[in-house]
Amino acid sequence: KAKRTVTLMRLHVLLRDRLICQECRVGVDIEARASSSTKAYVDCIIPRHLGGKIEVNNLRTFCRDCYRENKAKINAAFQS
């Protein structure tokens, strides 16, 4: 049941954001392969390790490249 809830929440966020990366504004594809730069990702605005929650208002849509760049920034800041 929890996995279904997360899947529905992810779909809700993707549709809310109109399948547009909220960082670079490129269109994303739900069914794209992981190697595709247009693969859709959903991630927290405020990371969980900084107190963010997995809630619709704390999630946004990313393309693969922006998702990776965002993760790298967060990891670098967290390690500092």
Side-chain angles (χ1 to χ4, degrees):
K1 184 175 176 176
K3 185 171 176 76
R4 181 178 174 180
T5 301
V6 170
T7 301
L8 290 174
M9 189 179 306
R10 180 178 185 272
L11 182 59
H12 176 83
V13 171
L14 290 166
L15 294 175
R16 178 201 66 200
D17 293 345
R18 297 192 165 123
L19 297 173
I20 302 289
C21 174
Q22 299 302 292
E23 193 70 27
C24 72
R25 311 305 291 171
V26 71
V28 297
D29 183 355
I30 294 173
E31 297 177 354
R33 301 180 113 185
S35 61
S36 171
S37 63
T38 61
K39 177 164 175 49
Y41 289 85
V42 173
D43 199 26
C44 294
I45 297 167
I46 301 170
R48 291 173 56 195
H49 68 270
L50 295 177
K53 298 187 188 228
I54 299 182
E55 299 174 338
V56 171
N57 62 352
N58 188 42
L59 297 171
R60 64 181 171 168
T61 301
F62 284 104
C63 67
R64 183 198 66 193
D65 294 340
C66 290
Y67 173 78
R68 288 178 177 175
E69 187 176 313
N70 186 55
K71 282 295 185 195
K73 284 180 194 174
I74 289 170
N75 289 338
F78 189 65
Q79 291 174 358
S80 298

